[in-house]
Amino acid sequence: MSIQDSIKEQLLQEVFSNIDNIYYFMETRFDMDKHCDEDIIKKLNELKDVVYKVSTLSDLS
């Protein structure tokens, strides 16, 4: 594994953790029905997918 790959992996872990924190923030502060909860999870997972794709297709600056 190259140094760049290692750095990317660490960055992804941090970003994914922050995305998870967004969910926990919403879950603890809003009384959401099942539909809202599922929508938030879906959109945050889509965001994770996009972030992952960008990280695999791009070099670090």
Side-chain angles (χ1 to χ4, degrees), residues 1-2 6 13 16 20 26 37 43-45 47 51 61:
M1 178 181 287
S2 72
S6 179
Q13 287 176 357
F16 285 1
D20 290 341
M26 297 290 294
D37 189 63
K43 293 299 180 183
L44 291 175
N45 283 333
L47 177 58
V51 169
S61 59

Side-chain angles (χ1 to χ4, degrees), residues 2-18:
S2 72
I3 292 173
Q4 178 168 256
D5 290 339
S6 179
I7 293 170
K8 282 183 179 183
E9 185 177 319
Q10 290 173 351
L11 291 172
L12 280 175
Q13 287 176 357
E14 185 175 339
V15 170
F16 285 1
S17 177
N18 288 332

Side-chain angles (χ1 to χ4, degrees), residues 12-55:
L12 280 175
Q13 287 176 357
E14 185 175 339
V15 170
F16 285 1
S17 177
N18 288 332
I19 292 171
D20 290 341
N21 287 338
I22 292 170
Y23 174 75
Y24 297 128
F25 177 89
M26 297 290 294
E27 180 186 45
T28 59
R29 287 167 178 81
F30 296 95
D31 185 21
M32 300 181 289
D33 63 15
K34 183 179 179 181
H35 179 73
C36 287
D37 189 63
E38 289 172 351
D39 282 349
I40 289 171
I41 291 170
K42 180 181 177 186
K43 293 299 180 183
L44 291 175
N45 283 333
E46 288 174 7
L47 177 58
K48 285 181 178 181
D49 290 344
V50 170
V51 169
Y52 180 78
K53 187 178 287 186
V54 168
S55 76

